[in-house]
Amino acid sequence: MFETFDSKKSRYASVGVVSSLPGELIDSIWYIIDLDLKGLIPLDNILSFDLINNDGHVTIHFSQEGSEVEMGIDLPFGYSYDFPQEVYAYDDGSRQTILLPNEIRQR
């Protein structure tokens, strides 16, 4: 078994994410994983983040299936209705990717 979301592994964002979110928000998701989630709870290899409009600014809401832990992080970035409502962070053991729900391959 590998340690999920090890910050020393390669990290990416999908084409859909890069074309729909500013880099600062993508970086913020990685920071949230590293600084707020790692060590708090055991992390699955797929994490869910909702992007919420909080009075014109972005709040990122974390949840994980099977866990009662939820977290909302207010960010200083302006919200846009063009942003996706949800993104996922996926760790396959060798690389980590932030992607849109429609970019996840169903097996």
Side-chain angles (χ1 to χ4, degrees):
M1 188 73 180
F2 65 92
E3 178 187 357
T4 56
F5 296 100
D6 180 350
S7 63
K8 294 173 182 65
K9 299 227 173 153
S10 299
R11 290 185 164 173
Y12 304 92
S14 70
V15 171
V17 169
V18 169
S19 65
S20 62
L21 286 178
E24 296 88 1
L25 273 178
I26 296 168
D27 291 343
S28 293
I29 293 170
W30 293 124
Y31 292 135
I32 290 166
I33 292 169
D34 293 338
L35 301 176
D36 297 318
L37 298 176
K38 289 285 292 183
L40 177 67
I41 58 171
L43 296 176
D44 290 341
N45 70 327
I46 190 160
L47 308 176
S48 174
F49 297 92
D50 296 316
L51 280 70
I52 300 167
N53 182 0
N54 183 7
D55 291 326
H57 288 88
V58 175
T59 293
I60 293 185
H61 178 261
F62 161 79
S63 63
Q64 179 175 260
E65 191 172 316
S67 173
E68 294 180 15
V69 175
E70 293 186 34
M71 183 182 301
I73 296 96
D74 297 329
L75 299 174
F77 307 115
Y79 182 85
S80 170
Y81 287 99
D82 293 330
F83 292 166
Q85 292 182 337
E86 182 177 35
V87 296
Y88 294 103
Y90 175 68
D91 185 343
D92 71 3
S94 61
R95 64 181 166 201
Q96 302 160 32
T97 307
I98 296 175
L99 39 79
L100 300 175
N102 65 353
E103 294 176 312
I104 295 177
R105 285 186 267 177
Q106 300 297 321
R107 295 181 183 212

